[in-house]
Amino acid sequence: MSTRLRGPLTPDDVEGILDDVMLWINDPEIVKNLARFDHVITRDEEREFLKKHFASPTDRVFAIENERGQYVGQIGIHQIYWPAKNGRLGTVIGRRDEWGRGHASAAIEQLLPIAFEKIGLNKVWAIFYTTNARMRHITSKLGFVQEGVLLDEYFHQNAFHDMVRVCMLKRQWNERS
């Protein structure tokens, strides 16, 4: 299995991935771990969101591709806070037939040197539901450390949810390289 990243994506890339994104963006099983999905998202809404996101000075987004060069999802560093040199890791594998093939782990492994060496971050952090065993396993396996549990951090589907926050510091990444 060979996973590769393409990007960072720009507003010019939107039309090239929009069909693929629309296949998963409204699938409750795929987006259940993402906070912003509280209504059906239209093609025009997603197009505008992606254009804005890809042009943002605080986001770097990459397409995740499989060994055949097919789009399988996205990964990015978001909410980059330049004064502290940190940013939030976000990833989604949008094709169910590609789940369990190691794409998320491989994509994170490829993104970390970009985050630390090219972007110049000191810290990459992630936040996920305490019930998200997949992300807990992946981040733990890759050497992220748990910073804490944020109680009632998200309100989604009429309920509060506790969230786990994990991070990788540049020095930790350097030590494992």
Side-chain angles (χ1 to χ4, degrees):
M1 195 273 312
S2 177
T3 303
R4 104 181 163 94
L5 301 185
R6 182 172 48 85
L9 300 176
T10 70
D12 292 338
D13 294 307
V14 170
E15 294 305 322
I17 68 166
L18 190 57
D19 287 342
D20 292 314
V21 171
M22 291 311 296
L23 293 174
W24 62 262
I25 199 75
N26 290 308
D27 183 330
E29 183 63 19
I30 294 173
V31 300
K32 70 181 179 186
N33 291 312
L34 305 176
R36 78 173 184 100
F37 298 94
D38 58 354
H39 70 282
V40 173
I41 297 171
T42 69
R43 187 176 186 84
D44 287 339
E45 285 175 322
E46 187 60 16
R47 176 184 289 113
E48 291 311 307
F49 173 82
L50 291 174
K51 283 181 181 179
K52 181 180 171 188
H53 213 49
F54 295 171
S56 168
T58 60
D59 295 285
R60 299 294 182 277
V61 183
F62 298 79
I64 303 171
E65 297 179 341
N66 65 16
E67 62 278 0
R68 295 177 305 284
Q70 297 170 316
Y71 171 96
V72 299
Q74 289 172 207
I75 188 167
I77 302 292
H78 305 283
Q79 299 171 331
I80 297 172
Y81 182 62
W82 294 109
K85 297 184 178 184
N86 69 54
R88 180 181 58 82
L89 170 70
T91 185
V92 62
I93 304 301
R95 289 183 48 173
R96 291 185 193 205
D97 61 328
E98 296 286 346
W99 286 3
R101 296 187 178 190
H103 292 300
S105 295
I108 294 169
E109 283 277 16
Q110 292 174 46
L111 187 65
L112 289 173
I114 294 168
F116 294 128
E117 295 173 4
K118 291 185 179 175
I119 299 174
L121 298 181
N122 181 60
K123 180 181 189 174
V124 173
W125 58 274
I127 187 170
F128 50 87
Y129 292 102
T130 56
T131 56
N132 188 342
R134 283 183 182 161
M135 189 54 106
R136 183 184 298 273
H137 171 74
I138 290 167
T139 54
S140 176
K141 177 178 74 169
L142 294 176
F144 283 73
V145 296
Q146 182 171 315
E147 292 187 292
V149 175
L150 306 172
L151 304 177
D152 285 352
E153 183 69 9
Y154 281 4
F155 187 78
H156 181 62
Q157 296 182 339
N158 296 317
F160 284 100
H161 301 274
D162 295 346
M163 305 297 287
V164 175
R165 181 165 158 155
V166 298
C167 78
M168 168 87 61
L169 299 176
K170 183 176 182 178
R171 70 172 183 262
Q172 294 166 315
W173 180 78
N174 285 335
E175 289 170 3
R176 49 164 264 190
S177 297

